[in-house]
């Protein structure tokens, strides 16, 4: 019947932590509401650079987003999150998504978050068919994830030794106050079967690896994590391959 409004509410409580609360609500006015945003948040430079992102839905109705955040225990009004549409460039977007995803993700920049403070994030999707929203809570310390290290270099030192060097992620701007530690992943194959070894943590930006097999090809990658163990390690850096020399240098 014309003018009828259908409302469906789903509440899902996930427990205490970086995703303490996740409420999904869809409201439809004679049509299908937009899909609920699937939101992922991370801090790429503790404590100053925090983003949330979600995929652009499949083409249907033009969708608008309203993004706000607030302190869970505070009395201040919610603040508006700076939105960066898919494919847009922004000075705030210092963390670049992979090329395959850069045209598909919305980003929301949350500046100047407080340490050891729980926040509530609300991402609401609205179009002519209705609305839906994602509501979640997080603490900055739980979502720390640096960008990968850059400029990874591998140099042979002796018949079975290599020197692995790298640079910190340029987006991590406070290495003097909040230093990073690193893991090295190196991989190889034996008769077509993949093998790997994960070493670390290393507090320096170089490490000497010994006992490698001459003539064998190895692939090296490095990840970065906040020194005190906040959050999680970065994605692995771009791989670097090297074949260990069979003669002395």
């Amino acid at each position: 019947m014309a003018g009828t409004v259908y409302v469906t509410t789903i509440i899902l409580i996930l427990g205490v932590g970086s995703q303490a609360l996740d409420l999904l609500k869809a409201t439809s006015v004679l049509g299908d509401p937009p899909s609920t945003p699937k939101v992922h948040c991370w801090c790429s430079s503790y404590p100053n650079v925090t983003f949330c992102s979600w995929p652009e839905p499949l083409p249907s109705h033009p969708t608008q987003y309203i993004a706000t955040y607030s302190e869970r225990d505070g009395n201040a009004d919610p603040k508006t999150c700076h939105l960066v549409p898919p494919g847009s460039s922004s000075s705030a977007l210092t963390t670049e998504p992979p090329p395959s995803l850069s045209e598909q993700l919305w980003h929301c920049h949350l500046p100047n978050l407080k340490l050891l403070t729980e926040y509530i994030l609300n991402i609401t999707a609205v179009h002519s068919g209705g609305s839906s929203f994602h509501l979640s809570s997080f603490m900055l310390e739980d979502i720390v994830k640096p960008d990968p290290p850059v400029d990874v270099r591998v140099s042979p030192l002796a018949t079975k030794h290599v020197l692995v060097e790298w640079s910190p992620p340029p987006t991590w701007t406070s290495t003097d106050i909040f230093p990073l530690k690193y893991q090295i992943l190196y991989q190889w194959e034996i008769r077509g079967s993949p093998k790997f070894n994960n070493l670390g943590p290393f507090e320096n930006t170089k490490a000497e690896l010994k006992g490698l097999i001459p003539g064998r090809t190895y692939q090296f990658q490095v990840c970065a994590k906040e020194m005190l163990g906040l959050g999680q390690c970065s994605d692995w850096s771009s791989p670097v391959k090297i074949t260990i020399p069979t003669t002395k240098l």
Side-chain angles (χ1 to χ4, degrees):
M1 183 173 64
T4 303
V5 176
Y6 300 93
V7 178
T8 303
T9 302
I10 304 174
I11 299 178
L12 177 63
I13 299 179
L14 297 179
V16 178
S18 63
Q19 293 181 332
L21 184 64
D22 198 1
L23 278 70
L24 311 179
K25 178 177 179 180
T27 303
S28 176
V29 183
L30 297 179
D32 294 327
S35 58
T36 301
K38 298 180 179 180
V39 181
H40 167 66
C41 297
W42 73 102
C43 174
S44 61
S45 183
Y46 184 77
N48 297 320
V49 181
T50 303
F51 288 97
C52 296
S53 68
W54 58 94
E56 170 85 341
L58 295 175
S60 56
H61 304 284
T63 303
Q64 295 181 332
Y65 292 96
I66 303 169
T68 61
Y69 62 101
S70 60
E71 295 180 30
R72 187 181 186 92
D73 298 325
N75 297 320
D77 292 335
K79 297 180 180 179
T80 301
C81 182
H82 174 65
L83 288 176
V84 182
S88 298
S89 59
S90 170
S91 59
L93 191 58
T94 56
T95 299
E96 292 294 336
S100 61
L101 298 178
S102 61
E103 299 299 318
Q104 306 172 24
L105 293 179
W106 281 83
H107 285 82
C108 165
H109 180 217
L110 290 73
N112 304 319
L113 299 184
K114 297 180 181 179
L115 307 185
L116 303 173
T117 301
E118 189 171 7
Y119 284 90
I120 301 293
L121 175 73
N122 186 337
I123 308 292
T124 300
V126 182
H127 67 38
S128 58
S131 65
S132 63
F133 66 77
H134 166 100
L135 185 64
S136 61
S137 67
F138 67 89
M139 290 185 67
L140 188 58
E141 288 72 18
D142 293 329
I143 61 170
V144 174
K145 184 180 180 181
D147 286 335
V150 297
D151 194 24
V152 178
R153 308 171 303 281
V154 183
S155 308
L157 292 180
T159 305
K160 298 182 179 181
H161 300 179
V162 298
L163 178 66
V164 183
E165 302 175 277
W166 59 90
S167 298
T171 49
W172 190 272
T173 57
S174 302
T175 52
D176 53 338
I177 303 175
F178 299 105
L180 296 169
K181 58 184 177 182
Y182 303 92
Q183 299 279 140
I184 296 177
L185 172 69
Y186 67 96
Q187 304 176 74
W188 67 97
E189 290 188 358
I190 298 180
R191 300 184 183 91
S193 177
K195 307 292 181 180
F196 71 92
N197 201 356
N198 195 325
L199 302 177
F202 301 96
E203 297 184 9
N204 297 319
T205 55
K206 61 181 178 180
E208 183 178 346
L209 306 186
K210 302 178 180 180
L212 304 180
I213 305 301
R216 178 174 291 169
T217 298
Y218 293 87
Q219 174 178 286
F220 296 85
Q221 293 173 281
V222 184
C223 77
K225 189 173 185 179
E226 195 275 332
M227 179 66 77
L228 297 180
L230 299 179
Q232 59 181 303
C233 210
S234 71
D235 293 334
W236 291 106
S237 65
S238 299
V240 174
K241 289 186 177 182
I242 185 173
T243 300
I244 306 303
T246 56
T247 58
K248 292 184 178 180
L249 300 178

